[in-house]
Amino acid sequence: MNFVQPIRDPTIIEGIKEYLKQRSMRNYLFFCFGIYSGLRVSDLRQLQAGMVRGTHVNMYESKNKNKKRFIIHPSIREDLDRYIAKMKDSDFLFPSRQKKKKTLKRGEPIDRSTAYKMLNEAAGKFGLKDIGCHTMRKTWGYQLYKQDPLTLALLMEMFGHSDSSVTLRYIGITQDMMDAAIMRLGAPQSKPSRTQIR
């Protein structure tokens, strides 16, 4: 089983956003909510139009029932408002386009497998590997940490981790540090010049 990676390069994140936006506003907004909120896919699937009409979203996480409040990133506000304009407050934000096989209902949230396929198809266009449903959540944490390593305590709390090493591994920082250490192995050391020796 592969360890799912975050998307490290901000230019690739922007490229994926544009790629998805050209194809599906639903998929674009799904990706944006994932990378700007740190929500699990199971929680993204449960968002309803009424929950995103204000500046913040208030909800309970499905895995641990913790209350979560987060701001809607201003860069998606205009697209989001157009997207939900004709939706009822009770409509799921990311509905499936197909009728559910078990319930025969329309408008139910997309399946996790649909989210996985959408992410992997987009990631493949940009040459990314080891992408999965946790990629968006990890990307959120990775990008926050890279902007300001002092956010580590905040990220630990947000992810529910009790040890910083778990958080660093989860968001891919440990892998980055190992890669950098390996690249330094056998690298030529700068020799002191004669003027430095005197």
Side-chain angles (χ1 to χ4, degrees):
M1 181 175 168
N2 288 343
F3 189 73
V4 174
Q5 297 296 321
I7 303 171
R8 290 171 169 83
D9 187 339
T11 57
I12 290 179
I13 293 171
E14 290 304 312
I16 291 174
K17 284 168 52 179
E18 190 58 35
Y19 174 83
L20 291 171
K21 189 174 184 178
Q22 290 174 8
R23 284 154 184 76
S24 165
M25 188 58 67
R26 179 198 70 179
N27 293 353
Y28 160 73
L29 288 169
F30 186 83
F31 180 73
C32 289
F33 265 89
I35 64 168
Y36 291 141
S37 71
L39 288 178
R40 293 177 182 87
V41 166
S42 57
D43 292 321
L44 288 171
R45 293 176 61 243
Q46 299 307 312
L47 290 175
Q48 295 174 321
M51 298 167 75
V52 300
R53 294 199 192 276
T55 58
H56 288 76
V57 174
N58 293 294
M59 63 181 300
Y60 288 93
E61 293 179 295
S62 57
K63 183 175 181 179
N64 52 27
K65 304 303 181 215
N66 288 341
K67 187 170 184 170
K68 177 125 181 171
R69 182 175 195 268
F70 63 90
I71 192 167
I72 296 173
H73 199 276
S75 69
I76 63 170
R77 183 80 257 172
E78 194 174 312
D79 290 326
L80 179 61
D81 287 342
R82 273 196 305 273
Y83 178 73
I84 64 173
K86 294 183 181 176
M87 289 182 163
K88 295 182 285 189
D89 283 354
S90 60
D91 288 346
F92 285 106
L93 194 57
F94 307 114
S96 173
R97 295 183 184 109
Q98 300 164 355
K99 193 186 289 186
K100 293 292 181 180
K101 291 178 184 174
K102 289 184 181 178
T103 63
L104 301 179
K105 288 184 178 179
R106 289 198 179 275
E108 293 292 301
I110 62 171
D111 284 337
R112 185 179 181 86
S113 62
T114 302
Y116 178 83
K117 286 177 199 168
M118 176 265 294
L119 287 170
N120 267 277
E121 190 241 321
K125 298 289 181 189
F126 292 86
L128 299 177
K129 297 185 185 327
D130 301 325
I131 300 300
C133 286
H134 273 264
T135 290
M136 296 180 296
R137 183 170 162 86
K138 290 183 177 195
T139 298
W140 173 77
Y142 182 90
Q143 296 301 327
L144 282 177
Y145 181 83
K146 290 304 272 187
Q147 283 182 358
D148 183 1
L150 296 177
T151 60
L152 182 57
L154 170 69
L155 291 171
M156 287 172 58
E157 183 178 333
M158 298 297 281
F159 289 134
H161 297 159
S162 57
D163 189 317
S164 61
S165 65
V166 173
T167 302
L168 292 172
R169 181 173 182 269
Y170 181 77
I171 63 174
I173 298 295
T174 303
Q175 184 66 53
D176 287 357
M177 292 186 317
M178 286 191 304
D179 292 349
I182 289 169
M183 294 304 289
R184 286 192 302 268
L185 283 175
Q189 301 286 327
S190 61
K191 294 180 181 177
S193 66
R194 290 184 179 185
T195 56
Q196 289 175 320
I197 297 173
R198 291 179 186 171

